[in-house]
Amino acid sequence: MSSEQKQLIEFSIQDLTAEIVRHENKSPEDAMDVLYHSPFFSKLTDPDTGLYRESAEYLYHCFSGKVS
């Protein structure tokens, strides 16, 4: 994994955490806990999926099960 991919994945994690806070009225700490312990987290952090290239809204819809 390149350093650019690592950085983009970190940005995606931050953006998705913010979306969870916004949509689910959770604290940032709770949102991170939910995300880090979800099955989706391993997909998001796998550079082969390319999910780190997607928008925060799309990632939230995938995370929440609204997109197959």
Side-chain angles (χ1 to χ4, degrees):
M1 176 179 345
S2 73
S3 61
E4 182 180 284
Q5 286 173 314
K6 286 180 187 178
Q7 186 175 23
L8 291 172
I9 289 170
E10 286 299 318
F11 290 151
S12 293
I13 291 168
Q14 292 172 3
D15 291 346
L16 180 51
T17 300
E19 287 294 305
I20 295 169
V21 167
R22 185 168 71 95
H23 288 280
E24 300 183 14
N25 298 317
K26 295 189 180 293
S27 70
E29 294 81 12
D30 287 345
M32 287 189 328
D33 188 52
V34 167
L35 175 58
Y36 281 39
H37 292 97
S38 72
F40 186 73
F41 186 74
S42 63
K43 294 175 186 175
L44 180 59
T45 57
D46 180 353
D48 292 336
T49 66
L51 284 170
Y52 64 90
R53 297 181 192 129
E54 300 295 340
S55 71
E57 280 187 10
Y58 178 80
L59 293 176
Y60 179 75
H61 287 296
C62 291
F63 170 79
S64 65
K66 295 178 182 174
V67 173
S68 319

